[in-house]
Amino acid sequence: QAGPGRMVFVTMVYGARLSKYIPGALRRADAFDLLPQWLLFCFDKDALDSCRASHVFPELCVAGDMGTTVSKFAIMAFIVHAGFGALYLDFDLVLLQDPRPAVLRAAQEAELVLSKDFGSECINIGVTYLKSHPDSADWMQRLLIWLWHHPYEFCQKAFAGLMGLEDLSRYEVFGSPVGRVPRWTFLDP
């Protein structure tokens, strides 16, 4: 059920090398009772088979075959438009505690919550939370449109560029994509 404070966890995974770690990642998520809201976007048969064999809710193993940056943001945009917050976690992340309290605390003052590179102020979109809010939904739509026209741009650079934190290419052709940026903050570890 959608509503304030409700979130869906999203992780993308692909390949035999990484798929063998899906059962362990799901056991770790289960330790914090996250499985009912943990969606794995599986970009190949190895990942999908491993997820469906391991996930208590195999219907949350979503098949996909376009492992691109656009896929990551498209599924997050869909979740936000459906009325849920979307918490994206890179597959190489290890949970040491339930992330919900820290994320929801940070989201009280922001629609977008990001991690940062260790020891710096540079954004790192390996942990990204989008609140279900009109500002974040609009911003994600602009990001998807921009990535459609710039398919080779590095996703983290595109994300930072649309926030106005980095320069993006081809302003002379497409104009500046930076518009209204949702209120945002860093996730304080």
Side-chain angles (χ1 to χ4, degrees):
Q1 180 177 347
R6 297 284 304 177
M7 73 174 71
V8 174
F9 292 77
V10 179
T11 300
M12 295 188 323
V13 64
Y14 56 90
R17 184 179 67 84
L18 296 176
S19 296
K20 66 184 178 187
Y21 298 107
I22 290 174
L26 291 172
R27 282 192 304 274
R28 192 68 191 144
D30 191 32
F32 302 113
D33 195 31
L34 302 176
L35 289 183
Q37 51 199 109
W38 200 294
L39 187 146
L40 265 76
F41 205 17
C42 304
F43 288 127
D44 61 20
K45 185 174 179 350
D46 289 328
L48 187 61
D49 289 348
S50 179
C51 185
R52 287 182 175 161
S54 307
H55 206 307
V56 174
F57 303 98
E59 63 275 12
L60 294 178
C61 302
V62 177
D65 61 4
M66 290 183 50
T68 69
T69 58
V70 174
S71 299
K72 171 186 191 172
F73 300 128
I75 201 159
M76 291 180 71
F78 173 79
I79 292 166
V80 167
H81 278 282
F84 295 90
L87 178 59
Y88 176 82
L89 302 171
D90 274 351
F91 188 67
D92 62 354
L93 186 131
V94 176
L95 293 176
L96 301 178
Q97 62 186 20
D98 182 347
R100 290 174 292 196
V103 169
L104 292 175
R105 196 169 33 255
Q108 289 176 355
E109 303 296 325
E111 285 73 54
L112 175 60
V113 179
L114 300 166
S115 57
K116 58 184 170 180
D117 286 342
F118 183 74
S120 78
E121 294 298 312
C122 296
I123 69 165
N124 181 316
I125 59 174
V127 177
T128 302
Y129 176 73
L130 282 166
K131 186 188 291 184
S132 181
H133 186 276
D135 289 347
S136 53
D138 176 67
W139 189 81
M140 282 302 288
Q141 182 177 350
R142 284 186 282 115
L143 175 62
L144 287 169
I145 291 168
W146 195 87
L147 285 170
W148 176 262
H149 292 288
H150 302 84
Y152 300 107
E153 191 66 68
F154 178 56
C155 66
Q156 192 158 289
K157 181 175 174 53
F159 203 93
L162 263 73
M163 292 177 68
L165 302 175
E166 285 194 36
D167 288 332
L168 295 172
S169 60
R170 308 295 304 220
Y171 284 162
E172 71 281 0
V173 175
F174 297 104
S176 174
V178 179
R180 180 175 169 82
V181 177
R183 295 178 309 154
W184 71 278
T185 189
F186 283 123
L187 182 60
D188 186 6

